[in-house]
Amino acid sequence: MPQYAYLIAGTDPADDRDEDRRVMSRGTQTLPDGQDPATFAADRLAQNRVEHSYYTGPRRIAYWPHEPGTPLPRTAPANAQHIDG
């Protein structure tokens, strides 16, 4: 089963904090065989909107394949896929 890392950050252009200071959530998840990573990411982004309802601005999830046991980076790597929401 593939493992994916994700990073969700606010993308409000008025927020002048550095990218790594805008992060609301990050983590990894093992996806069941056959689950589309984009579906996982969209679901995780929707869940984040509920969990962090105090932030009403735009946000983005970056997701990418992740090797188990390796540390998560502070910002998304260049090969990450993105969904805005």
Side-chain angles (χ1 to χ4, degrees):
M1 290 188 258
Q3 187 173 58
Y4 274 77
Y6 65 89
L7 185 144
I8 301 172
T11 58
D12 187 342
D15 186 348
D16 61 354
R17 293 179 294 168
D18 292 336
E19 180 182 355
D20 65 332
R21 303 263 223 194
R22 296 179 184 200
V23 173
M24 289 186 270
S25 181
R26 76 177 85 219
T28 62
Q29 186 160 337
T30 301
L31 305 185
D33 285 333
Q35 182 178 10
D36 177 35
T39 300
F40 150 73
D43 290 347
R44 186 68 194 101
L45 188 60
Q47 182 179 355
N48 180 267
R49 186 163 290 286
V50 171
E51 292 170 349
H52 297 274
S53 60
Y54 60 86
Y55 177 75
T56 58
R59 61 193 81 204
R60 170 179 286 166
I61 185 168
Y63 61 100
W64 61 95
H66 180 72
E67 187 65 36
T70 60
L72 287 174
R74 291 183 56 87
T75 59
N79 68 328
Q81 304 277 338
H82 297 93
I83 297 175
D84 292 326

